[in-house]
Amino acid sequence: MRKFDGKELLVATHNTGKLEEIANLLSDYGVKVIGAGQLNLAEPDETETTFVGNARIKAHAASRTTGLPALADDSGIEVDALGGAPGVYTADWAETETGRDFILAMTKTYERLLEAKSEKPWVARFCCTLVLAWPDGHDEVFPGSIEGQIVWPMRGSEGHGYDPIFLPHGYTRTFGEMDRWEKNKISHRADAFQKLVKGCFG
């Protein structure tokens, strides 16, 4: 396991919320976190069919372009009764001609569950794979997940994406009903980050 010994870490995301979350998680390690959006980096096409494959594309593209170590993630929701869909296509289910519509995506998930005539509980999990890549081509991979179930109707207006229909195991509130910092402590990304910190920063 290669340790991170630099002072700057490029995070291959244009999402300011995600960047803030990562900067907060790494605040104890004296690392300056820079977002791909701040450097106007292009977003590479995600052509793989796995979370790790797409995270690797983003991390290595950013690292090669800037000469900095780069961290990228790919994440999504897997629903057992839908054969693991939408999985890596989680964001694609929300795509419209005018941008992403996650209410549409959540409705599509619910409708497909009804079409499948699957019995409740509708077991699901959020998955996140983090890849930390160096300019020499080396990388370290950290998968994370949180188990739960799909609920309907949607509950809560916090979070983003599919959060209002995901109820984590052991909780009575959906991700959409939790504030972001509460969710960030138990999320799939938090699980992956704990492994990243232990492996590369600890």
Side-chain angles (χ1 to χ4, degrees), residues 11-25 33-40 43 73 100 159-160 180-181 184 189 193:
V11 179
T13 183
H14 289 70
N15 182 319
T16 54
K18 187 181 292 186
L19 184 66
E20 184 180 347
E21 180 184 342
I22 292 171
N24 181 65
L25 287 163
V33 174
I34 306 165
Q38 295 169 256
L39 301 181
N40 295 314
E43 296 184 80
D73 85 317
R100 290 178 178 173
H160 54 82
R180 61 188 278 197
W181 301 113
N184 288 350
R189 190 169 291 116
F193 253 98

Side-chain angles (χ1 to χ4, degrees), residues 5-82:
D5 59 2
K7 296 297 182 186
E8 293 184 325
L9 176 65
L10 177 65
V11 179
T13 183
H14 289 70
N15 182 319
T16 54
K18 187 181 292 186
L19 184 66
E20 184 180 347
E21 180 184 342
I22 292 171
N24 181 65
L25 287 163
L26 294 177
S27 60
D28 292 338
Y29 299 94
V31 178
K32 181 181 178 183
V33 174
I34 306 165
Q38 295 169 256
L39 301 181
N40 295 314
L41 296 184
E43 296 184 80
D45 291 333
E46 297 176 32
T47 55
E48 293 292 322
T49 57
T50 62
F51 296 122
V52 63
N54 285 326
R56 274 195 163 119
I57 287 174
K58 291 183 278 190
H60 284 285
S63 186
R64 283 194 305 270
T65 301
T66 63
L68 291 170
L71 180 69
D73 85 317
D74 197 46
S75 57
I77 191 166
E78 297 177 339
V79 183
D80 285 1
L82 302 180

Side-chain angles (χ1 to χ4, degrees), residues 79-169:
V79 183
D80 285 1
L82 302 180
V88 294
Y89 305 106
T90 292
D92 295 341
W93 280 28
E95 291 293 351
T96 71
E97 291 182 358
T98 54
R100 290 178 178 173
D101 180 347
F102 280 101
I103 291 178
L104 174 71
M106 288 185 281
T107 303
K108 183 186 297 185
T109 304
Y110 173 63
E111 289 174 346
R112 293 202 180 182
L113 283 165
L114 293 182
E115 290 167 9
K117 294 182 171 60
S118 62
E119 294 184 6
K120 294 181 180 180
W122 293 322
V123 175
R125 71 202 49 80
F126 267 119
C127 301
C128 170
T129 299
L130 291 169
V131 172
L132 177 57
W134 281 264
D136 66 358
H138 181 84
D139 67 37
E140 300 288 353
V141 177
F142 305 94
S145 64
I146 182 169
E147 297 287 329
Q149 61 180 284
I150 299 298
V151 296
W152 195 266
M154 304 170 207
R155 290 163 38 187
S157 57
E158 300 293 324
H160 54 82
Y162 295 68
D163 285 355
I165 63 170
F166 182 77
L167 180 67
H169 280 336

